[in-house]
Amino acid sequence: MVTYCKSQAQADAEQLEWLATAVGRSMPNEFGNQCSAAIQSNSVTLFGRPYQETLRYGNAIDHITNASTAYFHKIYNDPKNPNLLPRVGDIAVYRGAAPLWDGKYYGHTFVVDSRTSTQQTGVQQDGAAEPAKLWPPTYKYRYSVKPAHKATFWYIGDPAVGDVIGWLRPRWEKVVYTGADKRGYGGKTTPAEVAQKVTLPGNGIDVSNWQKGIDLSRVPADFVGVLATDGAGFTSPTFKEQINQAQKLGRRTLAYHYARVSQSDSDTQAKYFLKAAAKAIKAGAVPVLDWEEDAWNHRADWAIDWIRYVEKKTGSQVVVYQRQTAAAHTSWGSFRRPMWLSWYGSAARRSGYATDFSHIPPAPGWKVALWQYSDNTILPGYGGPLDVNRYFGGIPQWDQAVAAALTDDLEVFLMSQEKFNTYMDTYYRQRRGVAGSLAWGIGNNRDRGVNIEALVKGLVQSIFAFGAKRKGSGAGSVVTLAEVIAYDKDNWDDVRTRLEAIEKNLENK
């Protein structure tokens, strides 16, 4: 008799076991270790049915169209929606970077193992990878025999596989339960662990008309800053092309204005900037004031007026790009916005992004959200030096977009105290043995109150402030991630006391 999973958590554990054990295995079809052969093996393992019944026939690109909706949810990608991210265990389907010999796209596919806001890593086979051999020996063509391995691709514009079309998400109720959770796969989930599943943008570049002709799809970057305007009369001729490409690729973007205090008043330059950048800002670009004319550091009142004008017109918080000397000037008073710090330390040429940011210089009173630490770095895909930057969190538009991706995962924690108590008292006895249930999680995870602070370490405050809306009963009310985590921690002693009382009562019967 086949036993099926009773929860998403159980199905996740089954998928995690496949991901952990597939690397290094060969899963060939009649044409060698093809990418489709790997997901066919995955499908058979999960559902216990022939792949012809679940994934059905076709090349890699065809699976998202042909797969059975009885076994998969189909999620089509929207490049304009930065909150649309895959779950671990989804099957990713790419279009392919270019048509092949017969003018057709054959695509690529793999099982998602991890993801960030701009990339996803999966367990895959690659039919074009060496080593290859005649497969089978009677064929005249060589096919890959390289076993399953991990690979990372951009969601949009990846040079190897093109754009992701979407994902196939296995229906958990159709996944065969084999006890993977009891074998150590899956594990217990707290709100803080959920929050750490989605990462913030990390490395980025900024460009202007000096980088005319740059193909951003070839340059690794989680975000891209683009010069829009300078003073009251210069609009970068490459602004639209660069910002449009970055946004189409799904990168986070910033649009910046270089302030020229001597040329005109702040309102005039703010209007000039918005004429060029309003459309990009509406599409998600963060407005930036580039404040670096040292002779005008004492005129922060000009900068503040510009910022307030742009924020009022766009509803989007402005970031201030400046050096330490400008940030330290008393003319700023108590007015603060997220800061994009420009400080290099060395003019030496670099190769690739930095990995150690422990030496970030101080900027008292400011939240350093971005650090431009070099203007002389060589990155793959571009022949000249580039400005490179690191993001540390603090831009509300970006942090809340990341937090929004957590909403579905958080809902299990958004239970009212009354409902929680009823669940504990009424259903615990029946459910405590069901792996993946709330009662099972409580009974097997008593140390989470102790560990919760360690789990949330490093998350930026703006993510904690994100409000997740309840669904079902209490729909419409909002609970912040901070409140969810605080509830999880602060109520743990009460939960443990109630649990111990129930278990004692059971022992006496």
Side-chain angles (χ1 to χ4, degrees):
M1 179 179 174
V2 177
T3 301
Y4 293 98
C5 291
K6 294 184 172 67
S7 68
Q8 180 70 62
Q10 286 185 344
D12 287 345
E14 298 293 336
Q15 186 69 293
L16 288 170
E17 183 174 38
W18 186 89
L19 286 164
T21 57
V23 174
R25 288 197 292 123
S26 288
M27 294 168 271
N29 60 17
E30 63 269 33
F31 301 110
N33 290 1
Q34 300 294 312
C35 62
S36 288
I39 67 166
Q40 289 163 2
S41 174
N42 173 262
S43 179
V44 171
T45 300
L46 287 187
F47 302 123
R49 305 296 302 168
Y51 75 83
Q52 294 89 341
E53 181 181 329
T54 57
L55 280 170
R56 296 180 175 160
Y57 296 95
N59 296 306
I61 195 173
D62 302 317
H63 284 306
I64 195 163
T65 304
N66 296 347
S68 170
T69 55
Y71 290 90
F72 294 100
H73 298 283
K74 297 183 180 182
I75 299 122
Y76 287 90
N77 185 44
D78 178 2
K80 295 181 180 179
N81 181 3
N83 302 328
L84 182 60
L85 298 173
R87 293 185 82 249
V88 172
D90 286 356
I91 294 175
V93 180
Y94 277 85
R95 182 168 183 256
L100 298 183
W101 59 89
D102 56 358
K104 296 181 180 179
Y105 285 87
Y106 285 79
H108 185 62
T109 186
F110 56 83
V111 182
V112 177
D113 180 72
S114 63
R115 79 278 199 264
T116 71
S117 60
T118 55
Q119 296 175 307
Q120 56 187 340
T121 297
V123 173
Q124 66 157 19
Q125 289 186 151
D126 181 358
E130 292 290 343
K133 68 177 184 180
L134 295 178
W135 187 282
T138 55
Y139 276 37
K140 63 179 180 179
Y141 298 110
R142 288 168 55 84
Y143 292 104
S144 175
V145 293
K146 183 178 181 178
H149 54 281
K150 291 186 180 182
T152 301
F153 304 105
W154 298 101
Y155 295 123
I156 302 296
D158 190 275
V161 295
D163 298 347
V164 65
I165 300 172
W167 299 271
L168 296 171
R169 182 163 298 167
R171 292 184 180 273
W172 63 262
E173 64 273 17
K174 292 287 189 177
V175 175
V176 175
Y177 179 70
T178 69
D181 52 349
K182 294 181 180 179
R183 292 192 289 271
Y185 298 94
K188 298 83 178 175
T189 304
T190 70
E193 290 173 309
V194 170
Q196 290 180 323
K197 289 180 182 178
V198 182
T199 60
L200 295 169
N203 299 312
I205 62 174
D206 57 276
V207 296
S208 67
N209 52 303
W210 291 106
Q211 286 77 38
K212 180 179 180 180
I214 187 172
D215 183 353
L216 295 173
S217 70
R218 299 175 58 84
V219 181
D222 296 323
F223 59 90
V224 181
V226 184
L227 172 68
T229 51
D230 184 326
F234 178 80
T235 298
S236 173
T238 58
F239 171 67
K240 286 185 178 180
E241 177 186 353
Q242 291 170 343
I243 201 83
N244 288 343
Q245 186 188 23
Q247 291 182 332
K248 183 179 178 181
L249 291 169
R251 314 283 170 84
R252 307 286 187 190
T253 54
L254 308 104
Y256 65 96
H257 170 78
Y258 191 101
R260 301 278 185 182
V261 178
S262 61
Q263 289 187 4
S264 61
D265 62 82
S266 59
D267 282 4
T268 298
Q269 291 193 31
K271 291 175 184 177
Y272 185 75
F273 167 70
L274 290 177
K275 184 178 180 181
K279 184 177 179 180
I281 294 170
K282 187 175 182 179
V286 176
V288 177
L289 178 64
D290 187 343
W291 187 249
E292 54 180 305
E293 285 193 308
D294 289 337
W296 297 98
N297 283 348
H298 63 288
R299 287 298 312 277
D301 61 304
W302 190 102
I304 292 169
D305 285 345
W306 188 96
I307 291 167
R308 286 177 170 158
Y309 186 98
V310 170
E311 289 182 342
K312 182 178 180 180
K313 292 295 183 180
T314 65
S316 184
Q317 190 173 72
V318 169
V319 170
V320 182
Y321 174 98
Q322 58 185 337
R323 291 185 283 270
Q324 285 176 299
T325 51
H329 203 281
T330 58
S331 61
W332 282 107
S334 60
F335 185 88
R336 294 291 186 269
R337 288 295 184 269
M339 180 178 170
W340 185 351
L341 173 64
S342 170
W343 188 86
Y344 305 144
S346 170
R349 174 155 293 185
R350 299 180 53 88
S351 178
Y353 290 110
T355 56
D356 179 11
F357 301 98
S358 59
H359 58 296
I360 182 171
W366 294 83
K367 164 61 182 176
V368 177
L370 294 149
W371 177 19
Q372 186 185 88
Y373 56 87
S374 170
D375 65 348
N376 191 15
T377 292
I378 300 298
L379 295 176
Y382 186 68
L386 290 166
D387 297 346
V388 289
N389 309 267
R390 182 71 177 182
Y391 181 59
F392 300 104
I395 298 176
Q397 299 95 304
W398 289 4
D399 297 345
Q400 290 189 11
V402 171
L406 309 175
T407 302
D408 291 340
D409 290 331
L410 283 174
E411 286 178 11
V412 68
F413 302 104
L414 304 185
M415 185 180 291
S416 69
Q417 182 71 61
E418 180 181 4
K419 184 177 179 182
F420 183 85
N421 292 343
T422 300
Y423 188 97
M424 287 293 296
D425 292 336
T426 307
Y427 302 112
Y428 176 74
R429 301 178 206 187
Q430 292 84 8
R431 300 287 289 172
R432 65 175 177 164
V434 179
S437 70
L438 183 60
W440 176 85
I442 292 171
N444 289 277
N445 200 18
R446 293 190 180 189
D447 61 344
R448 68 177 177 177
V450 176
N451 294 334
I452 193 75
E453 289 184 357
L455 291 168
V456 303
K457 184 178 181 181
L459 292 176
V460 298
Q461 292 301 309
S462 50
I463 286 184
F464 289 114
F466 172 74
K469 290 186 178 180
R470 294 181 189 270
K471 295 181 180 179
S473 60
S477 59
V478 176
V479 180
T480 67
L481 180 58
E483 289 170 337
V484 172
I485 293 174
Y487 174 87
D488 190 51
K489 179 185 176 187
D490 295 345
N491 288 275
W492 185 249
D493 287 340
D494 177 62
V495 170
R496 181 167 52 195
T497 300
R498 296 174 66 82
L499 180 60
E500 290 172 350
I502 291 171
E503 290 181 334
K504 186 175 182 180
N505 191 29
L506 288 171
E507 291 171 0
N508 293 335
K509 291 184 176 182

